[in-house]
Structure formats: structure tokens, C-alpha cells
Amino acid sequence: GEGGDTAASGRTMDAPYLAVPVVREGRLANYLFVSVRFEIAPGVDLWQTREKAQFLRDALVRAAHANQLAMANDQNQLDQAHAIQVFRAAAIQTLGANAVGRVSIISSYSSLGGGA
């Protein structure tokens, strides 16, 4: 990000462009491409944690397929609060509860052209 958050931003792991399926009435209606940032808690070895990046991504993809992460009334919009809960749980499973700090959605784009 811009501004004075460079110290914090050094302790992050990003999962860019996760394909999140949007299912309506049992059928694939859309994909949201979601980029997620995880802050790694202080006191946790950043490099050891980053070495698990592919396992984290795998867990996030599985979680995205197992949960409905779009807004119930808008297939182009991510339900950010729910997505953060789901992605945080997947990250804790992969990296350990003590490693995962703040989880944020950096961006979310709809394959149908909506979203920001």
C-alpha cells in the first residue's frame, strides 16, 4: 500500500487471483477472482511461513470451493466478511493459529465484468 505501512507490509503473504466459484441453485454461475493478503504475526518465522505458500493457496482454493463466498443477492460481489472468516480459517489450518494476523481482501473482480 501507499504511505507509512511499509514496516507492516513486509510481513505479509499474498494469495493473488484465487478463483472463487459462485454457485446458484447447484450450477456454476460465475467466478470471482479474489486477491487476499495475510499479515504474519510478529515473532513467527516469516521465511518458514512463506515456504508454505503453495499449501496455503491449495487450502484457500479448497475453502473457496467448499463455501459460498458471493453475496446472496449479487453474484458479482464478494461477501467480504464471510470470505475473510473462511480464508482466515484455512490459513490457520495451514500456517498455525499463532502465525495469522489480519486478513484482508485486496481486490475482487467478477468474471462477468462487475466488482472492483
Side-chain angles (χ1 to χ4, degrees):
E2 306 300 312
D5 62 349
T6 45
S9 70
R11 294 193 59 85
T12 58
M13 276 175 78
D14 287 2
Y17 303 112
L18 292 167
V20 173
V22 181
V23 177
R24 291 289 186 258
E25 291 159 22
R27 300 174 59 165
L28 180 66
N30 192 15
Y31 275 102
L32 301 177
F33 293 95
V34 180
S35 297
V36 191
R37 174 164 292 159
F38 299 89
E39 289 179 16
I40 304 307
V44 173
D45 187 311
L46 187 62
W47 304 111
Q48 278 190 342
T49 304
R50 283 192 171 156
E51 280 173 9
K52 299 176 185 168
Q54 79 258 31
F55 301 109
L56 174 62
R57 190 172 181 90
D58 188 53
L60 296 174
V61 167
R62 283 204 308 272
H65 284 251
N67 294 272
Q68 189 51 258
L69 299 185
M71 294 299 257
N73 60 351
D74 186 350
Q75 65 185 18
N76 291 310
Q77 293 293 331
L78 185 72
D79 181 344
Q80 289 213 9
H82 183 48
I84 285 170
Q85 278 185 329
V86 166
F87 290 144
R88 176 194 299 283
I92 285 172
Q93 241 178 357
T94 309
L95 306 176
N98 62 331
V100 181
R102 206 164 74 91
V103 179
S104 46
I105 305 295
I106 307 169
S107 65
S108 169
Y109 297 97
S110 168
S111 67
L112 302 179

